[in-house]
Amino acid sequence: MTDPREAVIVHWPGQRLPADRLAELLAAYHLRTEAEKGSAVADADKLPDRYRAEISDPRAAFADDTVLMALSGDTAAGCLVLTAPAGGHSEIKRLWTDPVFRGRGVASALIVAALAHAAENGVGTVRLSVWEWRAGAIALYERLGFIVAESWETRDRLVCMERTV
């Protein structure tokens, strides 16, 4: 998978979500994030309740949102959650690319698909927040047209970004 077009987006609203694959990606995302925040845990069972709920039942956790997955063949390569529109904007959450597939355009393909979906559904702005130490992610968002915005987050060390669609 060297071409971003090879990242096949497999879920749009109304389609069946491969929850087991999504759960694996979400677990990896949350475990990595907790470790980066200095709160490493050994496995997903030790994550905070709110994260375990996403992993154990992603269909329920993201019932109102759009969940995108990228597949390489039958292998889950990445995921992204685009929240339901509210106040003219949606938010990108849980963007994760399996480390095996990094550098192959998976994250870019997921973001581009999310932006297209947002535009098709009348969303004016797509927002996101990212930990300040994730310089690679911030650079990716900037390449895709996101700019740093005034923070709407109460948690320290989060960079808020947005892009008009």
Side-chain angles (χ1 to χ4, degrees):
M1 184 193 294
T2 56
D3 186 330
R5 292 169 293 181
E6 292 182 49
V8 178
I9 308 303
V10 297
H11 178 72
W12 292 97
Q15 291 180 325
R16 185 151 179 86
L17 176 68
D20 57 335
R21 293 180 187 161
L22 178 58
E24 293 170 10
L25 293 168
L26 290 169
Y29 170 87
H30 287 303
L31 288 168
R32 175 66 178 260
T33 300
E34 291 302 293
E36 290 175 352
K37 292 190 299 188
S39 305
V41 295
D43 58 55
D45 292 336
K46 306 275 190 281
L47 288 166
D49 290 344
R50 65 187 182 278
Y51 301 146
R52 284 197 327 269
E54 290 179 12
I55 295 164
S56 67
D57 193 356
R59 283 189 184 106
F62 303 117
D64 296 329
D65 304 321
T66 300
V67 178
L68 307 177
M69 282 182 67
L71 294 181
S72 176
D74 289 335
T75 303
C79 65
L80 177 150
V81 175
L82 182 68
T83 63
H89 70 269
S90 288
E91 191 167 348
I92 289 175
K93 300 272 192 187
R94 309 301 183 253
L95 175 61
W96 180 255
T97 300
D98 183 304
V100 170
F101 294 98
R102 292 204 178 140
R104 300 181 187 185
V106 172
S108 294
L110 286 165
I111 294 168
V112 168
L115 292 170
H117 180 72
E120 290 167 7
N121 287 279
V123 172
T125 304
V126 173
R127 304 180 345 168
L128 59 86
S129 58
V130 57
W131 295 106
E132 68 184 7
W133 59 79
R134 289 186 168 160
I138 292 169
L140 169 66
Y141 299 140
E142 288 175 335
R143 280 194 307 275
L144 293 173
F146 286 84
I147 59 170
V148 174
E150 185 174 333
S151 182
W152 57 83
E153 277 287 348
T154 57
R155 294 173 289 171
D156 290 336
R157 304 187 69 194
L158 277 171
V159 176
C160 293
M161 302 180 82
E162 62 186 14
R163 177 193 154 152
T164 303
V165 291

